[in-house]
Amino acid sequence: MTTRGLVLGAGGVLGAAWTIGALAAVREHLDWEPETADVLIGTSAGSVLVSALACGFTVDDLLDTQQGKPDARIDFDADNDTGGALPPLPRLGIGSARGLVGAALHPWRVTPLGALSAAMPQGRGDIEPIGRLVDAVLPDGGWAPHRRTWVVAMDYDSGRRVPFGQIGQPLAELRDAVMASCAIPGWYQPVTIGKRRYVDGGVCSPTSVDLVTRLKLDEVYVLSPMTSTTFDAPTTVAARIERRFRRIVTRRVLNEVRKVAATGTKVTFLGPTAADLEVIGANMMDPRRRTQVLETSLATSASALAA
């Protein structure tokens, strides 16, 4: 029997829309239900989708919610519950003085984005709607029925990557872990679990696919909306800056992919194509483009897998 892993990466509102389209394409290509993967790993927007799959919901359920169908099993307003395309003004001051000092003293332990996140002020955005979404898929609380579900966040004061749900990691309710994984520094407040503060796991890695290195799986499917191997030619300054950042992020993820592939695991990696990027634009948090991003991903992801 083939053992499979599914890794869903960070990417904001539009990243979630793109990933749902890619999930539908993977399901059709393999004739396989993604929620049955042996291990599920989610970061930021990917953690939201992974939590639904890990609680027994299907790709069709995610599509119904994303398309705003009135009979959708998951109650979530993707246009309004995410707080809009721009964050509220952040608080004054450094977000994590301890994190900044630690990054200065031990720079090899913290990613550059982790150090920058510690220096940023704390956000004022409300992350609670994400918690309510998890409540909708897991009403009784606790952890997901799919026990090998890992939700990645970053310890704000140490810069350490924390895959909640993995043996040996801090204990957390699924809702808290997902909120922490989605807490973009400077946009949302850090999420406190136990006595520690956590922020978006994408600060450490957009996918954390290297977490499966020791599992010796047969196959891993990585859907990463923040990374691309083909690019468009945007005309706006904001989009050009985003594409520069995207290239840097892509190199990191591909390095992780190579580590996993070196163990003998077959890795299938999907990211937005140039056609997807034209629709996404510069702001991954802009819900106005959500429907078009989903429709484009349904087509481009299917073509990429066929190729």
Side-chain angles (χ1 to χ4, degrees), residues 125-180:
D126 183 12
I127 199 71
E128 184 59 29
I130 298 297
R132 291 197 294 270
L133 186 154
V134 179
D135 291 339
V137 301
L138 189 67
D140 296 329
W143 198 252
H146 189 304
R147 288 298 171 183
R148 210 172 222 183
T149 301
W150 301 344
V151 172
V152 184
M154 185 187 83
D155 186 310
Y156 200 27
D157 295 318
S158 72
R160 184 173 72 91
R161 181 175 64 177
V162 178
F164 288 106
Q166 189 182 69
I167 295 174
Q169 298 298 330
L171 296 177
E173 297 269 317
L174 183 63
R175 79 181 313 270
D176 294 335
V178 173
M179 287 194 297

Side-chain angles (χ1 to χ4, degrees), residues 265-304:
T265 298
K266 178 184 176 182
V267 184
T268 299
F269 164 79
L270 284 182
T273 65
D276 294 297
L277 294 178
E278 288 179 6
V279 178
I280 288 171
N283 184 359
M284 297 288 284
M285 294 295 285
D286 186 353
R288 294 171 297 180
R289 297 171 176 258
R290 184 177 52 79
T291 300
Q292 191 177 1
V293 168
L294 171 64
E295 293 173 350
T296 304
S297 176
L298 287 167
T300 57
S301 298
S303 296

Side-chain angles (χ1 to χ4, degrees), residues 170-193:
L171 296 177
E173 297 269 317
L174 183 63
R175 79 181 313 270
D176 294 335
V178 173
M179 287 194 297
S181 185
C182 293
I184 302 170
W187 192 306
Y188 298 108
Q189 295 183 48
V191 174
T192 300
I193 300 175

Side-chain angles (χ1 to χ4, degrees), residues 232-245 277 281-283:
D232 60 342
T235 57
T236 67
V237 172
R240 287 176 179 173
I241 293 172
E242 196 275 349
R243 302 302 184 265
R244 283 178 177 268
F245 175 73
L277 294 178
N283 184 359

Side-chain angles (χ1 to χ4, degrees), residues 193 200 227:
I193 300 175
D200 195 316
T227 59

